[in-house]
Amino acid sequence: MKKKFYLLLIVMLFSFVASAQRFEYQLGLKGGLGFDWVGNVGENVYSTEKGFCYKYGFTGIYYFGENYGLTSGFNIVGTQFAYKYNAEMPATTREMVEYKADYKTTYCQIPVLLKMRTDAFADKFRFLGEIGYGLNILASGEYKIDGEKQPSPYRDVCSSFIVHLGVDMEVMSRSTLQFIIAYDTFFSSIQSKRNDKLTMSNLCFELGFLF
């Protein structure tokens, strides 16, 4: 019984060593531009405005199989958007007045994504998809109503759901150039008030280079 156990252990060990030779790490840089928009804004909001967003940072990929891996890293994510809403004047309960709210934030984002890619075609290209979670830590935030600064309403930590679709292109034999469409939607409120939930999403076109 012990001999069979040791034999099985040796076989598993050799299988692990053989498969580990195929494991691959890649580190690189990534940046992107796009737009964002707001959701769950309340019943008095009558118009929203898409804003500008940007991302940049470094990324790392650990391949535990030929076509599968884990992607993580550290991104700086900047967003801005606005919406208009009606509210009662402070001095009266009858007259409704139009206000404009402007949001501007910068987050430090740590993504954890499952990467899936196809086999190579045309010698250099692979289609890719990534899906997973984003931990977003507020670095700075600005909030204005009708152009006047207000106390910050932002939460320090938010969560988001991330989806990437794109192409890997092999360059210089070992490096990879990435073209990605990135969708990032915050499923937890970006505001600290529990009864005033506000979510946002962004869509960016990213370019990355992995060594």
Side-chain angles (χ1 to χ4, degrees):
M1 188 69 181
K2 287 185 178 181
K3 290 182 179 180
K4 291 182 179 180
F5 173 76
Y6 289 133
L7 179 60
L8 178 61
L9 189 63
I10 292 172
V11 171
M12 291 176 62
L13 180 61
F14 275 104
S15 299
F16 176 78
V17 172
S19 62
Q21 294 176 357
R22 300 195 302 270
F23 291 174
E24 183 181 356
Y25 297 89
Q26 282 189 300
L27 298 174
L29 303 174
K30 185 186 294 184
L33 298 174
F35 58 91
D36 56 8
W37 61 94
V38 63
N40 296 331
V41 291
E43 59 183 15
N44 290 332
V45 174
Y46 64 88
S47 72
T48 62
E49 300 177 6
K50 289 184 174 64
F52 169 80
C53 74
Y54 63 86
K55 297 181 180 180
Y56 64 90
F58 68 88
T59 185
I61 304 174
Y62 167 67
Y63 291 100
F64 53 83
E66 175 65 25
N67 297 328
Y68 300 94
L70 290 175
T71 300
S72 189
F74 183 84
N75 300 320
I76 299 297
V77 181
T79 70
Q80 63 179 42
F81 58 85
Y83 64 82
K84 295 179 180 179
Y85 66 98
N86 290 321
E88 296 176 349
M89 291 185 64
T92 177
T93 59
R94 297 180 179 179
E95 186 176 358
M96 301 293 287
V97 179
E98 175 188 297
Y99 295 95
K100 182 181 179 182
D102 290 281
Y103 290 78
K104 186 176 181 180
T105 59
T106 302
Y107 290 96
C108 299
Q109 183 184 75
I110 302 174
V112 180
L113 311 174
L114 172 65
K115 178 173 182 176
M116 298 162 284
R117 63 181 183 177
T118 65
D119 292 332
F121 63 94
D123 294 332
K124 295 184 177 181
F125 299 92
R126 295 174 184 259
F127 290 117
L128 71 92
E130 293 177 321
I131 186 171
Y133 171 79
L135 176 66
N136 303 277
I137 303 170
L138 184 68
S140 65
E142 187 177 87
Y143 175 57
K144 294 181 180 179
I145 296 180
D146 287 344
E148 296 185 4
K149 287 187 178 182
Q150 305 293 324
S152 174
Y154 303 112
R155 294 179 62 185
D156 292 331
V157 179
C158 300
S159 298
S160 64
F161 175 68
I162 302 172
V163 178
H164 292 168
L165 295 175
V167 176
D168 280 348
M169 182 177 73
E170 183 179 324
V171 293
M172 295 183 292
S173 73
R174 291 288 298 174
S175 299
T176 303
L177 190 62
Q178 291 188 320
F179 304 90
I180 292 176
I181 299 175
Y183 174 66
D184 190 353
T185 182
F186 284 59
F187 57 83
S188 63
S189 177
I190 66 171
Q191 295 192 143
S192 57
K193 296 180 180 179
R194 294 184 179 180
N195 296 326
D196 193 12
K197 185 175 182 179
L198 184 72
T199 60
M200 67 175 178
S201 303
N202 61 64
L203 185 70
C204 285
F205 301 90
E206 298 182 357
L207 178 65
F209 187 83
L210 303 172
F211 300 93

